[in-house]
């Protein structure tokens, strides 16, 4: 529901925090001012819609808007951006390479964009654009890969968009996961060797 409603405002997912008193829903978006609306009108409207739609009691649900730190590392934001480029009539190849370059310039380790459907001809096909380093299996995939799927309703049919971003390792946990990759090898500088010949031998 929020995906449809806030698609144009760079919606990038939600975080739900349940406390004994109330439920807090934090909406992540690239354009938080649009989510809040004029004097907070839109967020109040969204709060009442969520309250009615999911049968929350009066005053037990609160909606907040949080700005995405780096939209270049957010797969949902990039999938939506690509969707609007394609709806605007931009060529598929040009739109995908634009997204790929933007993601890599924002510090991602790797990126993959797949567009499938009736791209030019009547026959459906799939185009894959990749850059950098990408992992596809194992436990690190859960932490390091951010992915999103969107559909574009064009005149000739529906196109499918799949965006996968490999996040960089960030010890602070802001731009990417705190845990390093299991195959990461850190080479430390060798310790200074002591000259034992100068020391007197103990009797």
């Amino acid at each position: 529901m929020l995906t449809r409603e806030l698609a144009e405002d760079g919606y990038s997912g939600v975080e739900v925090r349940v406390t004994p008193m109330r439920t807090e829903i934090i909406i992540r978006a690239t354009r938080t001012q649009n989510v809040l609306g004029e004097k907070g009108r839109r967020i109040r409207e969204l709060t009442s819609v969520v309250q009615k739609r999911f049968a929350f009691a009066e005053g037990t649900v609160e909606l907040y808007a949080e700005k995405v730190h780096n939209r270049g590392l957010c797969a949902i934001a990039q999938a939506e951006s690509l969707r609007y480029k394609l709806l605007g009539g931009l060529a598929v190849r040009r739109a995908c390479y634009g997204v790929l370059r933007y993601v890599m310039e924002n510090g991602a380790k790797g990126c993959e964009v797949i567009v499938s459907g009736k791209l030019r001809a009547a026959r459906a096909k799939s185009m894959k654009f990749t850059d950098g380093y990408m992992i596809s299996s194992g436990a690190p995939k859960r932490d390091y890969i951010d992915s999103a799927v969107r559909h574009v309703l064009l005149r000739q049919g529906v196109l499918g968009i799949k965006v996968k971003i490999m996040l960089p390792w960030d010890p602070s946990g802001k731009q990417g996961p705190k845990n390093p990759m299991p195959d990461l090898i850190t080479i430390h500088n060798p310790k200074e060797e002591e000259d034992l010949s100068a020391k007197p031998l103990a009797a």
Side-chain angles (χ1 to χ4, degrees):
M1 187 194 84
L2 290 169
T3 310
R4 275 199 313 272
E5 187 67 36
L6 303 170
E8 289 179 31
D9 307 314
Y11 170 79
S12 304
V14 289
E15 187 186 332
V16 181
R17 290 180 189 160
V18 182
T19 59
M21 295 296 287
R22 61 167 181 253
T23 305
E24 293 175 357
I25 298 169
I26 298 155
I27 300 166
R28 290 202 190 93
T30 52
R31 291 190 284 276
T32 45
Q33 206 54 51
N34 296 12
V35 176
L36 293 169
E38 203 177 314
K39 294 177 183 171
R41 187 172 144 216
R42 193 171 184 203
I43 198 106
R44 284 198 298 274
E45 284 174 5
L46 285 168
T47 306
S48 66
V49 168
V50 168
Q51 194 177 296
K52 288 189 181 84
R53 170 79 172 73
F54 299 100
F56 282 105
E58 188 78 38
T60 58
V61 65
E62 283 277 337
L63 260 70
Y64 302 100
E66 186 185 83
K67 195 168 177 68
V68 174
H69 297 301
N70 189 348
R71 56 186 277 260
L73 297 178
C74 177
I76 297 173
Q78 291 312 308
E80 288 290 353
S81 156
L82 181 55
R83 182 168 165 256
Y84 281 103
K85 280 180 183 176
L86 295 174
L87 283 168
L90 195 65
V92 174
R93 203 165 290 218
R94 194 168 173 197
C96 290
Y97 277 124
V99 166
L100 215 62
R101 194 174 69 247
Y102 182 77
V103 169
M104 294 307 287
E105 281 171 1
N106 276 275
K109 288 274 289 289
C111 180
E112 182 182 277
V113 179
I114 301 170
V115 181
S116 53
K118 285 157 79 171
L119 300 172
R120 300 277 308 260
R123 180 90 178 181
K125 65 175 181 175
S126 181
M127 288 171 93
K128 187 193 271 190
F129 304 87
T130 55
D131 197 358
Y133 173 60
M134 180 69 66
I135 56 168
S136 302
S137 61
K141 187 187 171 202
R142 281 179 278 190
D143 299 329
Y144 279 87
I145 302 294
D146 187 19
S147 61
V149 176
R150 287 289 177 274
H151 303 95
V152 193
L153 278 68
L154 297 175
R155 198 174 69 235
Q156 72 264 32
V158 181
L159 290 188
I161 296 170
K162 196 181 279 184
V163 177
K164 273 167 75 178
I165 297 172
M166 170 107 175
L167 302 171
W169 173 53
D170 183 10
S172 65
K174 287 177 185 173
Q175 300 277 5
K178 278 184 182 178
N179 302 338
M181 287 282 285
D183 59 354
L184 183 76
I185 297 166
T186 310
I187 298 167
H188 299 287
N189 291 326
K191 289 180 181 176
E192 291 291 323
E193 285 188 17
E194 290 182 48
D195 188 9
L196 299 171
S197 59
K199 277 189 173 183
L201 291 165

